[in-house]
Structures are given as structure tokens and as C-alpha cells.
């Protein structure tokens, strides 16, 4: 167990981790603009689900490594809330034919 924690600590604190997730955030933002220009709901749902899963993994890895200090950072707490709203939005898109009004606005924030 200690070995897993050390490995997670190494991964989360590596510059590659920050670069990869920074690029994913950038790519996700670009895709939001693309979705407005093209009407491909299946592609949008698939990509949004993939981005969401990646961000969930990222946040939970950071929580696992930082533990209680994660919540003392305003940035980390805000990041967690954004991921939670993203999960709600993805679930709403997958389970309902229409989007939950207001959730998309919160995720865009």
C-alpha cells in the first residue's frame, strides 16, 4: 500500500502530469467551441465522457496524494466542484433526452 502511495505521489507531482492535464483542459476548451460549430451529438457525448473520466481520475489522484491538505487549497476545491458538475452534466446527457437546465451553465463556469 505504501508503495502505491509513493507511486501516486511521484506521478501527481511530476511535471508530465501537470502538462498532460493542462493540455487536456485546453483540448476540452477547444472542443467546446467545435461543438457549437458542428452538430455531432454522439461525438460530443463520447468526447465529453472521456474528458470527464480523465478529470475524475486526476482529481481523485490529487486527493489521494494530498489528503486533507487538498481541501485547504481554494484552487483544488474549485477544481473538485467543477469536476462534480461535469459528472452531473455527463450523467444528465446520458440518461435524459434533454439536458438539465442550469447544469451546463455551471460546468461552463
Amino acid at each position: 500500500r505504501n508503495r502505491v502511495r509513493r507511486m501516486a505521489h511521484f506521478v501527481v507531482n511530476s511535471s508530465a502530469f501537470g502538462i498532460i492535464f493542462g493540455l487536456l483542459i485546453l483540448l476540452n476548451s477547444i472542443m467546446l467551441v467545435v461543438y457549437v460549430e458542428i452538430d455531432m451529438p454522439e461525438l460530443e457525448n463520447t468526447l465529453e465522457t472521456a474528458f470527464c473520466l480523465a478529470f475524475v481520475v486526476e482529481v481523485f489522484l490529487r486527493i489521494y496524494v494530498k489528503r486533507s491538505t487538498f481541501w485547504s487549497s481554494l484552487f483544488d476545491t474549485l477544481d473538485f466542484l467543477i469536476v462534480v458538475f461535469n459528472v452531473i452534466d455527463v450523467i444528465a446527457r446520458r440518461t435524459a433526452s434533454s439536458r438539465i437546465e442550469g447544469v451546463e451553465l455551471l460546468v461552463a463556469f
Side-chain angles (χ1 to χ4, degrees):
R1 181 178 176 150
N2 201 12
R3 186 176 183 187
V4 172
R5 184 159 171 71
R6 278 195 310 255
M7 181 61 121
H9 185 64
F10 174 77
V11 168
V12 168
N13 291 315
S14 70
S15 58
F17 185 82
I19 291 169
I20 289 169
F21 282 98
L23 289 173
L24 279 175
I25 291 168
L26 180 63
L27 182 58
N28 189 26
S29 300
I30 291 168
M31 292 310 297
L32 290 174
V33 173
V34 171
Y35 300 149
V36 171
E37 297 298 322
I38 61 170
D39 185 29
M40 298 178 78
E42 278 304 310
L43 176 64
E44 180 179 352
N45 285 338
T46 301
L47 288 176
E48 282 302 309
T49 301
F51 284 124
C52 182
L53 288 172
F55 296 139
V56 166
V57 168
E58 182 244 356
V59 163
F60 280 107
L61 275 173
R62 288 193 296 123
I63 290 171
Y64 179 70
V65 168
K66 293 183 176 183
R67 298 198 176 190
S68 62
T69 61
F70 178 88
W71 304 107
S72 63
S73 165
L74 182 59
F75 173 77
D76 287 337
T77 304
L78 179 62
D79 194 26
F80 176 81
L81 290 174
I82 290 170
V83 169
V84 167
F85 286 124
N86 192 7
V87 168
I88 292 168
D89 185 52
V90 167
I91 291 170
R93 288 175 192 238
R94 291 283 182 186
T95 59
S97 58
S98 63
R99 296 182 181 153
I100 297 174
E101 193 172 70
V103 172
E104 190 171 345
L105 175 64
L106 290 170
V107 172
F109 171 72

